[in-house]
Amino acid sequence: LSDEYERRWRDGDGMKPQDIPTLYAVLLPWRDGMLSSAESPRDDTLDVESVLKKVERYMKAGLFADDHIRTYNILLHVMSKQNIKGFSNATKALELAEEQIYQPMLRRSKHNPNDIQHHPNCETIYHLVGLLGRTSFIQAPDRVDAYLSTLQGWYQQTRASNHRPTAQLYCAVMEAHSRCNRKTHLVPRRIQQLFQQMKAVLGEGKNDDEGDSELVASYNRTCHALAECQDPNACDIARSILDEMCHEYFVNDKHNFKPTQQTFGSILIAYGRAKRSKEAEALFDRMEQLAEESGDDSFRPGTICYNDLIW
């Protein structure tokens, strides 16, 4: 059906008013269906470049006029999640994302972050950072920091919720540093700085329970990013985060801070990479102790933690 409408545009036949709802009924599920394809790994990954050309034709015809941002963000989401058909390396994928999606978004909005209909938002930056984090570019850490700084500037200017940095974005920046930063001795400290910034931002304008519920999901990602570091001091920072969670859960009775098997597992990995087996063993014993003292078997080491002891 969409091909038929494209033929009409090409041949100058135009469109009837009743055609628009019909075409939207076809195109919106097609566009939104790309999200589900990004979350399920498949061999027949989307040819994003071809999809982008098709989307651009639809936009020129007046479709997606009120939803440019969502359409582009879906494409960036697909690119950050999947291997991209037709691209031999991450460089080409990143060039497409930045030059054919991000930069045109800025031009359409005339670089005005108050134009929320066309200007990039936090989700846009999150996907670009995620894509950079999948590369091994030497410049990736500086570039993800620059993206975060840009978004922080937009938020300071507009105070718009869609420009407000999220916990997920801070975690994606941490992960990019952990994977790509060659200055390994600087990575743990940078992750710690980002973690503190994240907590400060998440606490703005929220009561404690709301802030905790949004924050706690990022603790495990932070610990995992530290566990991937090559610096031996990373495990100490990761352990301090675990200790903070335990304090909030056991002392302050904040149940949203309850450490999980993934939390403990990340610390075990970090100790293993630092060749600090005694401390890993002590943490394993501490989990058994917590299970006995609290009567909560979820603290007892499970398969995840046993696997994380295989260094």
Side-chain angles (χ1 to χ4, degrees):
L1 181 61
S2 61
D3 289 342
E4 169 62 20
Y5 286 126
E6 284 195 58
R7 183 197 63 75
R8 292 191 197 179
W9 299 333
R10 186 176 60 249
D11 297 343
D13 293 342
M15 295 180 63
K16 299 176 182 179
Q18 61 267 29
D19 289 341
I20 299 296
T22 305
L23 187 54
Y24 264 120
V26 174
L27 291 182
L28 290 181
W30 167 78
R31 181 199 66 180
D32 296 346
M34 288 190 284
L35 282 175
S36 60
S37 70
E39 298 296 343
S40 56
R42 305 184 313 179
D43 292 332
D44 55 333
T45 51
L46 289 170
D47 185 340
V48 178
E49 192 168 19
S50 296
V51 171
L52 179 60
K53 291 178 181 177
K54 187 179 287 287
V55 165
E56 291 288 350
R57 290 199 299 272
Y58 293 151
M59 286 184 174
K60 287 179 181 178
L63 299 173
F64 304 139
D66 298 328
D67 211 7
H68 284 171
I69 300 300
R70 175 167 171 76
T71 302
Y72 281 130
N73 283 346
I74 287 174
L75 287 172
L76 289 172
H77 178 84
V78 172
M79 296 174 71
S80 68
K81 288 288 186 179
Q82 288 192 325
N83 294 322
I84 302 168
K85 180 180 178 182
F87 291 104
S88 58
N89 55 57
T91 305
K92 291 183 179 179
L94 190 59
E95 287 176 356
L96 173 67
E98 293 185 327
E99 296 176 10
Q100 298 190 43
I101 297 181
Y102 177 65
Q103 291 299 330
M105 291 170 77
L106 289 173
R107 289 194 292 270
R108 281 192 176 92
S109 68
K110 298 180 181 178
H111 294 263
N112 178 12
N114 289 300
D115 182 0
I116 60 175
Q117 189 175 6
H118 302 97
H119 195 273
N121 57 25
C122 181
E123 185 180 353
T124 313
I125 299 301
Y126 175 74
H127 295 317
L128 287 169
V129 167
L131 189 56
L132 270 164
R134 289 176 51 194
T135 72
S136 56
F137 297 160
I138 296 176
Q139 308 94 332
D142 290 336
R143 290 175 69 176
V144 296
D145 280 347
Y147 273 128
L148 175 60
S149 178
T150 297
L151 182 66
Q152 289 170 331
W154 296 340
Y155 181 58
Q156 289 297 320
Q157 180 179 344
T158 66
R159 307 307 290 183
S161 60
N162 64 347
H163 289 148
R164 184 172 176 273
T166 62
Q168 290 84 358
L169 174 60
Y170 279 102
C171 288
V173 175
M174 296 177 205
E175 290 160 354
H177 275 278
S178 181
R179 295 168 186 164
C180 306
N181 201 326
R182 302 297 194 276
K183 299 176 181 178
T184 55
H185 64 288
L186 300 178
V187 176
R189 186 61 56 189
R190 179 57 181 146
I191 291 177
Q192 190 176 38
Q193 292 170 349
L194 290 163
F195 183 65
Q196 296 303 323
Q197 290 179 31
M198 178 182 68
K199 291 199 294 182
V201 168
L202 291 175
E204 289 181 358
K206 296 193 171 186
N207 63 48
D208 289 342
D209 290 338
E210 289 174 332
D212 291 348
S213 66
E214 189 174 0
L215 180 72
V216 71
S218 64
Y219 274 58
N220 287 352
R221 283 182 71 177
T222 304
C223 290
H224 186 71
L226 286 163
E228 288 190 337
C229 294
Q230 302 301 316
D231 187 272
N233 296 317
C235 57
D236 292 323
I237 299 174
R239 179 58 187 265
S240 71
I241 293 174
L242 172 62
D243 291 342
E244 178 184 342
M245 295 177 74
C246 289
H247 180 82
E248 296 291 347
Y249 180 74
F250 290 107
V251 178
N252 293 336
D253 201 29
K254 291 185 177 181
H255 295 286
N256 286 331
F257 273 84
K258 181 181 179 181
T260 66
Q261 294 281 316
Q262 287 78 7
T263 317
F264 288 103
S266 294
I267 314 304
L268 292 170
I269 292 172
Y271 279 141
R273 290 190 170 174
K275 296 181 172 58
R276 291 162 62 171
S277 58
K278 293 292 185 183
E279 286 160 289
E281 183 180 355
L283 178 59
F284 208 76
D285 293 340
R286 177 60 177 156
M287 292 180 69
E288 293 281 7
Q289 182 183 2
L290 288 173
E292 293 294 333
E293 292 176 351
S294 66
D296 186 347
D297 275 346
S298 67
F299 286 110
R300 204 175 301 281
T303 303
I304 291 174
C305 289
Y306 277 101
N307 287 342
D308 289 337
L309 283 175
I310 303 173
W311 300 325

